[in-house]
Amino acid sequence: MTLTTENLLLIGSILLLLSILASKTTGKLGVPALIIFLAVGMLAGSDGIGGIHFDNPNLAQSLGAIALTFILFSGGLETKWESVKPVLWQGVTLSTLGVLLTAVSLGFFISYISGFTLTEGLLIGAIVSSTDAAAVFSILRSKSIGLKGNLRPLLELESGSNDPMAYFLTIGITSLLVHKGTSFVLLIPMFFQQMIIGAIAGYLLGKAMIWMLNKINLDHDGLYPVLTLALIFFTYGITTFFNGNGFLAVYLSAIILGNENFIHKKSIIRFYDGQAWMMQIVMFLALGLLVFPKQMLPFIGTGSVIALFLMFVARPLAVFLCLLFFKMRNRERLLISWVGLRGAVPIVFATYPLIQGVEKSEMIFNIVFFIVLSSVMLQGTTIPIVAKWLYLFKPVKFKTRYPLELELSDNFKNELFEVEIKENSNAIGRQIFQLKFPKTSLIVLINRSDKYITPSGTTTIVQGDKLLIMSDNKKDKDEIEQVILNYTETPSN
């Protein structure tokens, strides 16, 4: 089937629906959502049952760049400075030096075992050197697995900030292959130029976003997300215009914006979270359509060897070297190594040599695609198991969601979270006044059998209750956990 204006919306809506419904069922099995999106795209493509012919790497690259901009902005908005501050230098080291070490070690290995030159091997290494956060944490959330210590914010920071480095390496090495005789030394000033301009632009434009959102007085509230969208694209566009790294600028501006108060903050964060999911689906579907599985078959052997080296040697080597001088246990380093999950970004980056007409670019694209599939299928499905083996997992007991749509002030300082009373909870059968909640916390609502009741001190807790708790002290969560799960006092008769 050929894509036309008439059937594009119909086909697109069907693919979106199939992807969302499939991810709902397979998420319970621990299969990453991006595999489902890619699989739907591949099944709908030329070699699949859909028969849709899509062979346009330029369009796929453009969609990928736009999607990555949304994903980075959404991730930056939800990055809390107080969480990443203790692991800032570890994250920065992994997202820069770690990416470089991964690309170099993998590049040398590829050139040694295959017919690729060293520069071509380094290009493949650069393309697959960045990690994917969305797939990792969708698995952790679906399995209700948390990570001890500062591992989660460290992995979030690394995954959100390592794409600019991988992008720079991909673009730089591609230019070396296109312009024969160019020296690697020329990439050094290019690196500092891109990163410095990107960082400055991200900081300044992030501050400008805060000022504009708070000072401008729009007549319609629905225009604020649109204004933010214009600012996102302006940030990316103006930074790249001055030869800076647009992805870095977008991510930094989002972190600065997300850690300040601005009008309609909660609704804008929710809006861009939804947009990021939609962009992920669109990106994965487009890349799934772009690949021809029959062309990938001859590279399965080479791709498998490269993927295994990346997972078991290149990534762990980079992580251990980068974190060598930071206070951290080896099992934490091992988990960070295993969570080096590759996602759709490497596939997007693999379109750059395709478009530039680099020799062996189709081979590179198919190998990269296979590496991503291998990484997601092996690492993505075993992350909870590895976290348990290394004694670094902890159950997620609290959900930061609300059972009702509550429209809170943007300056609302208290925290609302939901606690479900499980069958093993020691709070069952006790009245609220017996639970001895922290003085700074209060049960404001109880969802019982899909009916909402207003609690009083004499309300008895029953199994299945969902308590909406308001607290003005984040440390209260630990105390509440003890009250709900480890309450040992005998109840009054």
Side-chain angles (χ1 to χ4, degrees):
M1 180 186 297
T2 303
L3 291 177
T4 64
T5 305
E6 290 73 18
N7 60 29
L8 183 60
L9 288 177
L10 175 62
I11 295 173
S13 62
I14 292 174
L15 292 178
L16 281 172
L17 286 171
L18 288 175
S19 301
I20 294 170
L21 294 175
S23 67
K24 172 67 177 177
T25 56
T26 55
K28 298 178 181 179
L29 302 175
V31 179
L34 76 86
I35 278 291
I36 306 305
F37 306 149
L38 285 172
V40 171
M42 293 170 68
L43 287 173
S46 298
D47 291 344
I49 57 177
I52 300 174
H53 183 75
F54 180 72
D55 189 15
N56 192 334
N58 287 281
L59 179 58
Q61 183 187 109
S62 299
L63 287 174
I66 294 172
L68 185 57
T69 301
F70 273 91
I71 294 167
L72 288 175
F73 186 81
S74 176
L77 273 183
E78 299 188 60
T79 298
K80 301 302 179 185
W81 175 246
E82 61 268 21
S83 298
V84 302
K85 186 177 179 180
V87 294
L88 177 63
W89 290 112
Q90 293 96 312
V92 171
T93 304
L94 285 172
S95 62
T96 53
L97 181 60
V99 170
L100 178 62
L101 290 173
T102 301
V104 170
S105 61
L106 189 61
F108 273 93
F109 177 76
I110 292 171
S111 65
Y112 178 76
I113 65 155
S114 68
F116 289 104
T117 65
L118 177 59
T119 307
E120 291 167 344
L122 289 172
L123 176 59
I124 298 175
I127 290 172
V128 299
S129 58
S130 62
T131 59
D132 184 271
V136 171
F137 293 107
S138 67
I139 297 171
L140 295 177
R141 284 190 287 267
S142 67
K143 292 292 184 180
S144 296
I145 298 293
L147 296 176
K148 292 182 179 179
N150 292 321
L151 286 175
R152 183 167 183 144
L154 174 57
L155 290 166
E156 286 180 336
L157 177 61
E158 181 206 4
S159 299
S161 59
N162 63 9
D163 290 332
M165 182 66 175
Y167 171 78
F168 159 75
L169 291 175
T170 301
I171 295 298
I173 299 175
T174 299
S175 67
L176 294 180
L177 288 170
V178 173
H179 303 95
K180 302 292 185 179
T182 307
S183 173
F184 276 99
V185 178
L186 296 178
L187 295 182
I188 298 175
M190 177 182 172
F191 167 77
F192 285 105
Q193 175 183 318
Q194 284 209 358
M195 295 303 170
I196 291 173
I197 294 176
I200 293 174
Y203 177 81
L204 294 178
L205 292 171
K207 292 293 185 181
M209 288 181 186
I210 299 169
W211 181 85
M212 186 169 291
L213 286 170
N214 287 330
K215 294 298 182 180
I216 194 170
N217 187 17
L218 298 176
D219 294 332
H220 303 284
D221 291 346
L223 288 176
Y224 282 94
V226 181
L227 172 62
T228 311
L229 177 63
L231 294 173
I232 295 170
F233 287 148
F234 178 80
T235 299
Y236 179 83
I238 196 67
T239 305
T240 53
F241 179 80
F242 287 104
N243 297 317
N245 194 302
F247 294 128
L248 178 62
V250 167
Y251 184 65
L252 286 180
S253 66
I255 292 178
I256 292 170
L257 179 63
N259 283 275
E260 297 287 344
N261 290 321
F262 57 92
I263 190 169
H264 302 305
K265 180 175 181 177
K266 291 182 177 65
S267 60
I268 288 177
I269 289 176
R270 183 180 298 181
F271 172 81
Y272 281 101
D273 180 57
Q275 293 301 310
W277 270 107
M278 186 184 75
M279 288 298 171
Q280 284 188 73
I281 297 174
V282 170
M283 179 169 59
F284 298 150
L285 286 174
L287 295 172
L289 287 170
L290 185 62
V291 72
F292 293 84
K294 292 179 181 178
Q295 297 178 8
M296 196 168 55
L297 292 176
F299 307 105
I300 290 179
T302 303
S304 299
V305 175
I306 295 173
L308 291 174
F309 184 86
L310 172 62
M311 288 183 274
F312 291 100
V313 181
R315 167 70 176 177
L317 177 64
V319 169
F320 273 79
L321 287 177
C322 287
L323 301 179
L324 185 62
F325 299 103
F326 294 101
K327 188 178 180 180
M328 186 175 291
R329 293 170 293 184
N330 283 332
R331 53 195 176 98
E332 292 175 325
R333 296 187 180 98
L334 282 173
L335 183 62
I336 294 171
S337 301
W338 193 246
V339 184
L341 185 63
R342 270 56 198 172
V345 172
I347 306 176
V348 174
F349 288 170
T351 62
Y352 285 90
L354 268 177
I355 294 172
Q356 293 295 323
V358 172
E359 187 180 355
K360 301 179 183 178
S361 59
E362 292 187 1
M363 294 173 59
I364 292 173
F365 180 85
N366 287 304
I367 289 174
V368 168
F369 199 98
F370 185 80
I371 291 172
V372 169
L373 287 179
S374 302
S375 173
V376 173
M377 290 303 296
L378 180 56
Q379 292 175 293
T381 54
T382 58
I383 288 172
I385 298 173
V386 173
K388 291 178 182 179
W389 281 350
L390 296 173
Y391 300 100
L392 292 172
F393 81 99
K394 62 178 180 180
V396 178
K397 298 180 177 67
F398 301 108
K399 299 178 180 179
T400 53
R401 64 176 186 178
Y402 315 137
L404 293 175
E405 288 293 325
L406 302 177
E407 191 64 36
L408 302 174
S409 166
D410 293 316
N411 295 320
F412 189 75
K413 300 298 183 182
N414 301 70
E415 185 174 7
L416 285 170
F417 55 93
E418 183 184 281
V419 179
E420 183 174 358
I421 304 300
K422 304 287 187 179
E423 60 180 355
N424 60 346
S425 173
N426 292 311
I428 296 175
R430 292 181 168 83
Q431 295 176 323
I432 289 178
F433 79 91
Q434 295 176 301
L435 297 179
K436 297 181 180 179
F437 258 47
K439 293 182 179 180
T440 52
S441 297
L442 179 69
I443 300 175
V444 296
L445 199 64
I446 298 178
N447 179 354
R448 179 175 294 169
S449 302
D450 293 328
K451 293 182 180 179
Y452 296 101
I453 60 176
T454 303
S456 65
T458 57
T459 301
T460 301
I461 303 298
V462 301
Q463 180 182 334
D465 279 353
K466 295 179 180 178
L467 314 180
L468 179 64
I469 300 173
M470 182 174 67
S471 174
D472 58 9
N473 188 345
K474 292 184 178 181
K475 295 181 179 179
D476 286 349
K477 281 190 174 183
D478 293 334
E479 191 172 344
I480 293 171
E481 178 183 326
Q482 296 297 318
V483 169
I484 296 296
L485 300 180
N486 301 313
Y487 194 88
T488 56
E489 181 180 334
T490 303
S492 303
N493 293 323

